[in-house]
Amino acid sequence: MPKNLTEYNIREKFLKKLIDIGVIMCFLGMIEQIVVQPCIKSIMLMVLLFVSLIIGYILSSTLNRTDLAEIVIGVAAIYVVFPLMYFTNGGITGGAPVWFVLGMFYIICIFDGIEMYLFLILAILDDIVVYLIGYKYPKLIIPIKSDALAVLDSMFAIVFIGIFLGMIMKFQLKSYSKAREVAIYQKNETEKISASRSTFFANMSHEIRTPINTIIGLDEMILRDDTISDEVAENAAVIQNAGIMLLSLVNDILDFSQIENKKMRIYEVSYNTQEMFSELISVIRNRIESKGLAFYVNIERTLPSVMRGDPKRIKQVLLNILVNAAKYTKEGSVTLTANAESISDKRCKITVSVADTGIGIKKEVIDRIFDSFSRADGSEINRIEGTGLGLSICKQLMDLMGGEITVDSIYTKGSVFSIVLEQDIIDGSPIGNIDFLARKEGEHTKFKHLFEAPDVRVLVVDDNDASRMVTVKLLRGTKVQIDEANSALEALNLTCQKYYNIILLDYMMPEINGVEALQKIKQQENGLCRGSQVLLMTAEGERNVINDIMQEGFDGYIEKPLEGNRLEASIMSHIPNEFLEYCIDTHYVSEKSLAGDMQEKADVLKKRLIITTDCVCDIPIEEAKSMSVKQVYQYINTPGGRFKDTVEIGIDNISDMILNDRKKISVSAVSVEDYEDFFATRLTEAKELIHISVAMNFGKSYYNASNAAKCFGSVNVVNSGQVSCGMRIVLKYAAQKLSEGATAKEVITTINSIQGRIKAEFLLDSIEPFYENGFVGKRKKIIFEALNLHPILVVKRSSLHIRSFMVGDFEKARVRFVKRTVKKLKGRPISDINISHSGIPVKEQELIAAIIEKNVNCDDFVIEKSSVTNACISGPGTIGIATYIDKQK
């Protein structure tokens, strides 16, 4: 079927056009055949072509099967009618060869891809066969009666096929022209929508920033009051941080619009490194600590004190990352780390990382974590607020700044986001040992005004009453003389009556906007403020728009929401020194103390690679410890509750229960989520992990582990192909290879290479446990129980199979089983023999050990109790023997 509805409609219209023209040609062809070659066969071919066209029309119009109609018409015309016309219309001397050209044209126009090539090859082969038959058997061709009629037939074919092809091409060009017109129209509409959206975002920026300006500004006035209680001060600080966070969300939406429209610009300025980190930490600290999380700051003392870049965008990226770290971390900590690497005397590469102990990110999600509107799935994620824009904007901002952002995550254990960015060094002196002092309980910082200038006149022009009130209150402590105007018209009246040193002019106002007001003030007849310093006040969030506005002649600008010290600093920079009765160093403007103590946290040294396995690997406890191998438990379900094998229950605790209540005990593999948690914990200890799994067809363990590994980039799940004592041999050689410094790939290669040389067999007392776990059918169970047979199982193709059986007393059968195995091993290069059992008496164990040591020469012989899981699956008294044949011995 066609790929989409548009393509389907185009092909349907094209086919109908072909059918319309084809029907006309069929009628004309019939007339031509009567004149040139009045042969019933030739006329019937035209009738057949006409019928195929009608069938095609019905299939396309009535049944909506354009694809089938194309095939019916093509097969009938190209492979039936046209070849037969060659033989009924004079062969090469007539007009039939021209119809072959029409057939190829039809195939190329109608079909695509493999269909086109297939039909085209068949058509060419068909034409070749027709020509060869006509050449070898000329008697099969019905000749045209005269040369004149042959010329007429050829001319008819050329004229009609030429007209046919011309009309089809004209139809195609007309369709293309219409499609182009539609595309141009849609493009214009899209551009209009884009422009409307940009206007919307610009207006939204102003409309949202204006009330935020009021909230933050009035909140700052509360914080300035040193008579308020500690509780009020704390509440006000929370409101201030919330306002800043809200502003950050608004900026994300606006920035996304700019990036989409390719209008985002990076503006590099000199910035103080200490100030940038101080401001960043002061904004986020309260949010992190309010969740009960520890906040660690580890900023390298050797960072250059002044660098050149875009501090606003750097802070925006880091703030987004820190906010996410706080959102997705329930307990634990968030760690901010920064260091620098010198590239040259004038340039360095800074690396800033944010590590958290949160829910982490699954491996399959990491590849799209920086996509717009992308969020991971899951109940934990869905309960957390977020737009999915933050990280996408971070990625694109880092690209614009020539840096990179990366993520390294361990699912369920946390993530580390890092940015790497090159910056110019303006002042290479190190920032030193900065004491980020905490705001102690019971006190809040007393606000200091930057200057006092009683003789300076300031005019505040803003149509929003709340914004105007905030500006006036923030400047009240500087003792400047302030007048207010609620419109540009009122401001123009005041500038004719009084001189103002500084005019603060809002940009978006009704009737006359800020730019028009500036021009009128500068050109005002009898105006007293043509030489005044005019500063733009704007809630416009797009920097490039602000720059365009500034080109109109403003002396500076102040961005809303207003912040007290920055507002004062901007105004002070435009006041002559003789007007300043009091001022302090403007370096104070950006200095802020932290909301908590700075703490340093050393990185935990991880191992390069570790090996883990399932608990069904019957390995001695001390040996597992010596190899630093951790095992994943299995669940043992008993009448007394569910227990974790190797963790909550051992073979000694459950032996009697297995013997007495076998049918009431079952085993279940741990879930994918359990494996995820296990892998995540292990990855806090090592950078990479190899999990040697039980044979892939033995329960669900291998598949659950493999699915869990998809969440991580550093977990390799390997099918051991073995169970029980056979797994212990695999594990031994994998651990030896790792101890030699092998890579994960080399260890996995070793595991795969030894699997075929490990032979494992097990003798069970009864088939029942094997049946209950779904390994054999009911018929075999009945036979084995009726004859009291002891099944012998062998590991083959990653699964357990019944190979044979033994009869008689089970204890004696075990000894015979061992002797028979030993007999097979005599004279063979055996490196390892590993025996596991579920409850064999000590004396019998000693007897078995003596038989092995007397008859087989091997390097490593171990006899060990099986795990609870294996005991539950195989039943009490089971014995397993695994041997490793070393071909190099």
Side-chain angles (χ1 to χ4, degrees), residues 34 95 192 235 321 328 380 463 466 487 518 553 595 788 797 829 857 877:
I34 293 171
K192 288 180 183 178
N235 293 342
I321 297 173
Y328 296 108
E380 293 293 326
D463 65 300
S487 69
L518 171 67
N788 194 25
R797 293 189 295 275
N857 181 22

Side-chain angles (χ1 to χ4, degrees), residues 288-350:
I288 293 174
E289 293 191 333
S290 66
K291 292 189 68 176
L293 304 174
F295 187 27
Y296 299 105
V297 178
N298 207 355
I299 297 176
E300 195 175 70
R301 298 179 176 89
T302 57
L303 281 176
S305 57
V306 181
M307 293 187 284
R308 181 175 178 82
D310 192 333
K312 178 179 178 180
R313 296 307 179 187
I314 296 173
K315 284 190 293 185
Q316 182 179 351
V317 170
L318 292 175
L319 183 61
N320 257 309
I321 297 173
L322 284 163
V323 168
N324 279 347
K327 281 199 299 186
Y328 296 108
T329 304
K330 282 185 176 181
E331 57 184 19
S333 63
V334 175
T335 303
L336 173 67
T337 304
N339 55 66
E341 177 186 343
S342 178
I343 298 175
S344 66
D345 293 340
K346 295 297 182 182
R347 198 160 177 80
C348 69
K349 180 166 69 175
I350 62 170

